[in-house]
């Protein structure tokens, strides 16, 4: 009989985790990278740079909110595909995939037309006014044309992730990001005598073209590399109802998440244009970090769903420990790198002294919260793969309405302004991480 020491602990290998996580990091940062490049280039335009930067930040946050809310079918289809892959039953979801993608496309068209029509009302609710409001409306109405492209692309990315492949999404995102940055310089600044400088609207056009390129590439990989197709079936797949239920719970969860982001931007706009300009930089860096760390959450999502389908609970427990460790290391590297170039980072996005002063005064809070973010995002990904959408919904509702909002109200009353916003975000992330760790430990430790 072998000794306990000789028994190999069932684990997912480092290589298997990173085969999914590393490409997912690149794929995941595509949207925030587009927003960051827009902000960096727009913020350095000589004419009305602060107002343009504020407008780009508001629109970027709103678009991220809408995409996060409505792209939950990406997570749901990923979880269902991965669980069926683990139980060797992929044939059962062949008609589900085209039905999900079509659902995403129709929903995105409805949301685009509604939000474009009510753009002034929406961005007035962010306390935007005057030139900032004008810039915000014109930028949004162009950039939101890419919204249906993005949602369909994300649904396809969800299928890829369910199949344990994030490399195809990474290739699409790399090319899309490169196209966006190149066109940003070309269309924002223009070429004298050849291409007029389109400023903020040029950045919006660049984003739409980049999103179109990503969709074309995603469709190529979908047809060439996966066992699925896009032919819609009139017979509703039996997995569509649970997918919609999961997506609906994740929808409410993400709605709560974006209420927090909306409140943050609304308060910052109310403080003044320099505050919302600084908040735009802080928020987009935070989002960039979040999507970067989320690569390991995506690995947890894909592999966790597969392990649940195979009922490999010990490997699932060990996966959570390993991915937590890797995510924290990534978070510390990101925070440490930014700490080394603390003052220089703000200069990438804007040269206004007041904006930079506000940014520098609060940026340290964004950095110290990154390890907490890593734990929250990583378990968030695993719980999505396990189909625990209802619990994720409840955690976000509690964190937002009993953590973030009360903290923001109290600290705003005390006159802390941007400090109030980012301390509230820190409290929000602490609640999220603790609730997920405790739940996972209680549910799965005894099954190992």
């Amino acid at each position: 009989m072998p000794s306990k020491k000789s028994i190999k602990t069932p684990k997912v290998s480092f290589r298997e985790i990173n085969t999914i996580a590393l490409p997912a990091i690149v794929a995941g940062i595509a949207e925030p990278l587009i927003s960051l490049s827009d902000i960096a280039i727009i913020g350095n335009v000589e004419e009305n740079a602060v107002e343009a930067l504020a407008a780009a930040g508001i629109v970027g946050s709103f678009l991220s909110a809408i995409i996060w809310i409505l792209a939950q079918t990406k997570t749901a289809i990923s979880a269902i595909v991965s669980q069926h892959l683990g139980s060797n039953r992929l044939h059962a979801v062949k008609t589900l995939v085209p039905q999900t993608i079509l659902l995403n496309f129709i929903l995105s068209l409805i949301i685009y037309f509604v939000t474009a029509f009510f753009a002034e009302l929406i961005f007035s609710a962010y306390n935007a006014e005057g030139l900032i409001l004008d810039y915000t409306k014109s930028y949004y109405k162009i950039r939101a044309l890419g919204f249906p492209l993005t949602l369909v692309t994300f649904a396809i990315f969800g299928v890829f992730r369910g199949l344990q492949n994030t490399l195809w999404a990474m290739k699409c995102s790399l090319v899309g990001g490169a196209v966006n940055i190149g066109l940003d310089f070309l269309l924002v600044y223009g070429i004298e005598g050849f291409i007029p400088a389109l400023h903020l609207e040029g950045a919006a056009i660049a984003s739409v073209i980049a999103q179109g390129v990503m969709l074309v590439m995603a469709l190529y990989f979908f047809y060439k590399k996966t066992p699925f197709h896009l032919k819609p079936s009139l017979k509703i797949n039996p997995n569509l109802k649970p997918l919609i239920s999961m997506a609906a719970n994740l929808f409410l969860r993400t709605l709560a998440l974006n209420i927090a982001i909306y409140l943050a931007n609304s308060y910052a706009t109310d403080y003044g244009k320099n505050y919302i300009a600084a908040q735009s930089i802080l928020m987009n860096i935070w989002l960039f970090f979040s999507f970067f760390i989320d690569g390991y959450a995506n690995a947890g999502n894909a592999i966790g769903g597969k392990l649940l389908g195979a009922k490999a609970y010990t490997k699932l427990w060990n996966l959570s420990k390993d991915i937590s460790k890797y995510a924290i290391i990534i978070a510390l590297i990101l925070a440490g790198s930014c700490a080394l170039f603390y003052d220089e980072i703000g200069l990438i996005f804007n040269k206004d002294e007041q904006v930079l002063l506000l940014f520098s005064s609060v940026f340290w809070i964004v950095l110290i919260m990154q390890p907490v973010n890593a734990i929250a995002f990583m378990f968030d990904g695993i719980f999505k793969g396990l189909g625990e959408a209802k619990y994720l919904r409840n955690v976000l509702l509690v964190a937002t309405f009993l953590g973030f909002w009360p903290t923001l109200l109290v600290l705003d009353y005390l006159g802390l302004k941007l400090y109030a916003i980012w301390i509230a975000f820190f409290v929000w992330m602490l609640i999220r991480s603790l609730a997920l760790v405790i739940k996972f430990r209680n549910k799965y430790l005894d099954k190992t």
Side-chain angles (χ1 to χ4, degrees):
M1 182 176 178
S3 66
K4 287 186 177 181
K5 288 185 179 181
S6 67
I7 298 174
K8 189 176 181 181
T9 304
K11 294 181 68 173
V12 179
S13 71
F14 178 79
R15 181 177 180 180
E16 186 178 349
I17 291 171
N18 283 285
T19 297
I20 295 175
L22 297 181
I25 289 171
V26 179
I29 63 176
E31 180 62 28
L33 185 61
I34 287 173
S35 294
L36 278 174
S37 61
D38 283 358
I39 285 173
I41 292 168
I42 291 163
N44 286 287
V45 173
E46 292 181 5
E47 185 180 354
N48 300 317
V50 173
E51 289 84 357
L53 176 61
I58 292 170
V59 170
S61 295
F62 178 71
L63 272 175
S64 293
I66 293 293
I67 289 169
W68 281 356
I69 290 170
L70 297 178
Q72 295 313 307
T73 47
K74 168 189 174 182
T75 300
I77 192 67
S78 173
I80 289 174
V81 169
S82 65
Q83 288 172 22
H84 280 75
L85 179 68
S87 58
N88 294 312
R89 296 184 65 251
L90 273 184
H91 61 275
V93 293
K94 279 203 170 182
T95 58
L96 176 68
V97 171
Q99 288 171 359
T100 303
I101 292 172
L102 180 62
L103 182 68
N104 254 27
F105 181 67
I106 294 171
L107 189 58
S108 66
L109 288 179
I110 294 170
I111 296 298
Y112 169 73
F113 286 113
V114 170
T115 56
F117 184 78
F118 291 106
E120 182 167 353
L121 184 65
I122 290 168
F123 295 116
S124 294
Y126 279 79
N127 294 319
E129 57 185 19
L131 188 58
I132 292 177
L133 181 58
D134 292 339
Y135 279 168
T136 302
K137 289 189 296 181
S138 62
Y139 180 59
Y140 179 75
K141 286 180 179 179
I142 297 172
R143 188 166 171 198
L145 288 169
F147 181 54
L149 308 176
T150 299
L151 278 188
V152 172
T153 302
F154 278 13
I156 295 172
F157 283 2
V159 175
F160 294 166
R161 190 168 70 197
L163 293 172
Q164 314 295 290
N165 188 305
T166 54
L167 184 62
W168 303 327
M170 182 196 79
K171 291 178 179 179
C172 299
S173 301
L174 277 176
V175 173
V179 168
N180 183 78
I181 293 170
L183 289 177
D184 262 349
F185 281 103
L186 194 65
L187 298 177
V188 172
Y189 299 129
I191 298 175
E192 190 173 350
F194 183 62
I195 298 175
L198 298 176
H199 302 301
L200 194 62
E201 291 182 351
I205 294 169
S207 297
V208 173
I209 294 172
Q211 288 160 332
V213 169
M214 288 171 62
L215 175 57
V216 170
M217 290 186 65
L219 287 170
Y220 170 81
F221 287 116
F222 181 84
Y223 276 111
K224 292 290 185 179
K225 304 290 186 180
T226 79
F228 301 114
H229 56 76
L230 289 181
K231 295 176 185 176
S233 172
L234 294 177
K235 185 179 179 181
I236 301 299
N237 188 286
N239 289 287
L240 186 61
K241 186 176 179 180
L243 181 143
I244 292 174
S245 175
M246 191 188 309
N249 279 313
L250 291 172
F251 176 99
L252 292 173
R253 166 199 172 273
T254 313
L255 182 62
L257 183 154
N258 284 289
I259 285 172
I261 294 176
Y262 160 75
L263 289 169
N265 286 316
S266 179
Y267 273 67
T269 305
D270 200 41
Y271 298 147
K273 68 177 186 180
N274 289 330
Y275 284 90
I276 184 55
Q279 171 66 11
S280 296
I281 300 171
L282 291 164
M283 178 56 69
N284 278 279
I285 291 175
W286 186 84
L287 289 171
F288 177 80
F289 282 1
S290 301
F291 280 101
F292 202 104
I293 296 169
D294 209 39
Y296 281 98
N298 284 328
N301 179 304
I303 301 172
K306 182 181 175 183
L307 294 177
L308 180 66
K311 298 183 179 180
Y313 299 119
T314 301
K315 289 182 77 173
L316 179 61
W317 175 259
N318 290 325
L319 174 74
S320 72
K321 293 193 294 183
D322 288 339
I323 294 188
S324 294
K325 178 175 65 179
Y326 304 148
I328 289 173
I329 290 171
I330 292 290
L332 291 173
I333 291 171
L334 287 171
S337 300
C338 287
L340 287 174
F341 301 100
Y342 193 89
D343 295 320
E344 289 80 2
I345 288 173
L347 290 168
I348 297 172
F349 302 98
N350 194 251
K351 301 296 188 293
D352 186 280
E353 289 186 9
Q354 290 300 314
V355 172
L356 291 174
L357 185 63
L358 289 168
F359 168 79
S360 297
S361 67
V362 179
F363 188 37
W364 61 272
I365 302 177
V366 176
L367 299 184
I368 64 170
M369 68 194 291
Q370 290 311 309
V372 176
N373 289 5
I375 294 296
F377 296 147
M378 193 282 303
F379 275 100
D380 214 45
I382 288 184
F383 271 69
K384 288 174 184 176
L386 302 177
E388 294 273 4
K390 188 179 291 186
Y391 186 73
L392 289 173
R393 177 201 67 194
N394 293 340
V395 168
L396 253 296
L397 289 171
V398 169
T400 299
F401 296 107
L402 298 182
F404 179 87
W405 200 358
T407 303
L408 179 59
L409 287 172
V410 171
L411 298 183
D412 172 71
Y413 178 77
L414 296 175
L416 294 182
K417 296 186 177 180
L418 287 185
Y419 287 103
I421 291 171
W422 286 98
I423 292 172
F425 270 124
F426 205 165
V427 171
W428 188 59
M429 295 306 299
L430 280 169
I431 293 172
R432 290 173 60 185
S433 59
L434 286 172
L436 294 175
V437 169
I438 292 169
K439 171 75 171 181
F440 187 84
R441 181 180 177 85
N442 290 342
K443 187 166 184 176
Y444 290 103
L445 181 60
D446 291 339
K447 293 183 178 182
T448 59

